[in-house]
Amino acid sequence: MEPTTATRSEDLYARAKEILPGGVSRNTVLRHPHPIYVDHAEGCRVVDIEGVERIDFANNMASLIHGHAYPPVVEAVSAQMRRGSAFSLGTEVEIRFAEHMLSRCDVFEKIRFVNSGTEAVMGALKAARAFTGRPKVAKVEGAYHGLYDYAEVSQTASPDRWGPAERPNAVPVAYGTPERALADVVVLPFNDIDGSLAILEEQADELACVLLDVMPHRVGLNPAEPAYVEALRAFTAERRILLVLDEVITFRGQVGGAQKWYHIEPDLTALGKMIGGGFPVGAIAGRAEVMEVMNPLNSPLLFPHSGTFSANPVTMTAGLTAMSHFDEAAVAHVNDLTLRAKDGIEAAIAASGARACVTGGGSMLRVHIKEHPPRNYREAYLDAEERKLIRVLLAHLFDAGIIAINTCTMCMSTVMGVEEVDTLIAMLGEGLDHVAQLQR
């Protein structure tokens, strides 16, 4: 028997492990037994270095609203690159992009650009502290808000550490997180009005803000119940606590973001991912009065803020181009595709007999190996058997030519159509048949 020849991806991973911790710079690319490396992509299809083509429903963790190598973005960025990529001077495109973003949402009165969603959340929390003079931040149990110590608390809480449901513990993600950081984060039970308000009432005098994602991915990608969002907005307004919405992922839900689903007016909004047209980006937008804490013309300056690559003209050009093309018609297109996918997946679940469900909103959906849609992080939490079945389902999709986010989450791009969605439904149907057999 001749020895098996290693794939190019396998060879690359062997090299990567010698120089990168775990062989990667982002854990989400890990696969068993090794990552798959990309050769090229166009539209909604990615071709790996072995020549295998797949439909991309991950879209780089929901950051690509127009898919890959979107021609208008490629053309605009190429032209900008010939003029320069970054300067220690201002550029007109920053102003044009800011004007465009403010035109999308009435509550955006001022905006500042940064380089990632993590940085946008970090800046929003620091602005809230500067504006209110208070130290503490409240957030929902399980919600992902990036890498910042105060934003990441309890995003990976497990049953052995998460404490009572009505009063969740502040659980660190990274070893070495200072106890003082944990003490300044107030953790709320998602969709529990009475429980959340009781906790907030106790901490109100020290709270700078409540940080909220209205459809938190790790909490189940199920839109928050309207009464819950309204209760948080009413409480924060009454107590002069800022409401900060994390729309890094959910801004793709409407022209003005998922906040439009609730008819609320947050004080600040953190943005990122798809607003960069495929380039690293973040932004903090909100009420002018609050944004003024970053105004360097003020004395005293309450929140000095800068960044070497903030508002670089390549990202600004890509973002302005991508967002200009993400108009009402484009939003309707991707959201309609998601509705078609959800209906088809629900039918496939019923036909397979699998204990599963589908959640989502806007242009995103998530398949759960659970009988009922989760209302909070604890209901969405996967036990060992459920994690195994999700891996089975994801492996089937990948082998069938479908790329999904590793929670079995899918998001649409404007370059997709009915053909791609129906392929997803069919391949999920096959995978769910297998899951149902394993469950039995």
Side-chain angles (χ1 to χ4, degrees):
M1 179 181 296
E2 294 184 3
T4 302
T5 302
T7 64
R8 292 181 64 196
S9 287
E10 187 177 354
D11 288 341
L12 282 176
Y13 188 51
R15 288 168 54 191
K17 285 191 293 185
E18 296 296 318
I19 52 177
L20 300 166
V24 295
S25 288
R26 50 190 298 209
N27 296 348
T28 52
V29 305
L30 283 170
R31 298 186 59 82
H32 180 77
H34 55 75
I36 301 297
Y37 294 87
V38 173
D39 181 77
H40 66 278
E42 183 177 359
C44 63
R45 296 174 187 271
V46 176
V47 179
D48 68 28
I49 60 173
E50 321 300 340
V52 178
E53 180 181 281
R54 296 178 179 87
I55 305 172
D56 189 3
F57 283 93
N59 283 296
N60 192 35
M61 305 303 286
S63 67
L64 301 174
I65 196 62
H66 300 298
H68 301 276
Y70 186 56
V73 170
V74 172
E75 182 179 347
V77 166
S78 298
Q80 178 58 53
M81 286 292 292
R82 288 189 287 270
R83 293 193 293 270
S85 60
F87 313 102
S88 54
L89 302 171
T91 61
E92 180 184 351
V93 69
E94 174 190 4
I95 299 167
R96 291 169 53 212
F97 190 25
E99 290 170 339
H100 175 83
M101 291 303 297
L102 265 56
S103 75
R104 299 181 77 96
C105 191
D106 293 341
V107 299
F108 293 177
E109 297 176 345
K110 294 286 181 72
I111 189 168
R112 269 234 174 176
F113 294 106
V114 291
N115 299 292
S116 69
T118 287
E119 195 177 335
V121 170
M122 180 190 303
L125 298 188
K126 290 167 73 72
R129 292 195 192 108
F131 182 76
T132 62
R134 301 170 187 156
K136 292 189 176 182
V137 172
K139 62 157 291 187
V140 164
E141 182 181 38
Y144 178 82
H145 297 288
L147 194 62
Y148 188 37
D149 280 349
Y150 298 90
E152 71 176 10
V153 168
S154 290
Q155 73 185 29
T156 56
S158 54
D160 59 320
R161 298 195 296 168
W162 62 26
E166 68 279 5
R167 287 185 177 271
N169 290 336
V171 180
V173 172
Y175 284 93
T177 299
E179 286 294 327
R180 183 61 200 171
L182 298 176
D184 280 340
V185 180
V186 177
V187 183
L188 307 176
F190 191 56
N191 280 328
D192 180 350
I193 295 174
D194 292 341
S196 293
L197 293 185
I199 295 169
L200 291 173
E201 183 67 51
E202 292 176 1
Q203 304 285 341
D205 292 342
E206 294 186 276
L207 277 173
C209 66
V210 173
L211 174 63
L212 178 66
D213 180 339
V214 296
M215 191 174 70
H217 177 202
R218 296 194 184 184
V219 182
L221 204 76
N222 205 1
E225 294 166 6
Y228 183 71
V229 178
E230 292 162 8
L232 293 183
R233 174 69 283 190
F235 182 89
T236 53
E238 179 184 350
R239 293 307 189 94
R240 299 183 183 277
I241 299 165
L242 299 190
L243 179 63
V244 177
L245 289 195
D246 179 349
E247 289 238 48
V248 171
I249 293 177
T250 59
F251 199 71
R252 59 171 33 239
Q254 291 291 336
V255 165
Q259 59 194 264
K260 295 298 184 182
W261 298 342
Y262 298 91
H263 308 290
I264 59 168
E265 296 187 354
D267 299 289
L268 292 174
T269 300
L271 303 165
K273 290 193 183 286
M274 52 84 74
I275 73 163
F279 288 79
V281 74
I284 309 157
R287 287 201 292 126
E289 181 186 14
V290 180
M291 296 292 292
E292 276 295 297
V293 300
M294 290 182 274
N295 186 345
L297 304 180
N298 289 340
S299 182
L301 172 56
L302 299 180
F303 174 21
H305 170 264
S306 194
T308 300
F309 287 101
S310 291
N312 74 82
V314 174
T315 294
M316 297 294 96
T317 297
L320 177 58
T321 304
M323 295 307 291
S324 296
H325 285 238
F326 193 54
D327 55 14
E328 293 279 5
V331 171
H333 172 66
V334 290
N335 290 1
D336 287 347
L337 288 179
T338 306
L339 288 174
R340 181 185 182 94
K342 285 186 69 178
D343 288 344
I345 294 166
E346 286 172 350
I349 291 170
S352 70
R355 292 190 299 279
C357 65
V358 58
T359 60
S363 55
M364 300 182 67
L365 59 86
R366 177 176 172 181
V367 176
H368 301 264
I369 305 300
K370 301 204 178 262
E371 191 170 357
H372 304 291
R375 292 183 64 246
N376 55 49
Y377 174 69
R378 300 189 185 202
E379 291 182 10
Y381 187 83
L382 298 176
D383 63 26
E385 182 63 20
E386 290 165 340
R387 284 195 295 272
K388 173 185 173 183
L389 293 176
I390 281 289
R391 288 195 294 269
V392 167
L393 188 54
L394 287 167
H396 172 80
L397 288 174
F398 196 77
D399 291 344
I402 300 288
I403 303 173
I405 295 172
N406 57 14
T407 54
C408 210
T409 295
M410 280 69 70
C411 54
M412 308 299 158
S413 64
T414 60
V415 291
M416 289 178 171
V418 169
E419 176 186 351
E420 286 79 20
V421 168
D422 287 352
T423 299
L424 172 65
I425 294 168
M427 295 304 100
L428 270 169
E430 292 180 2
L432 288 163
D433 285 341
H434 187 38
V435 166
Q437 291 175 8
L438 293 173
Q439 286 176 328
R440 288 193 289 267

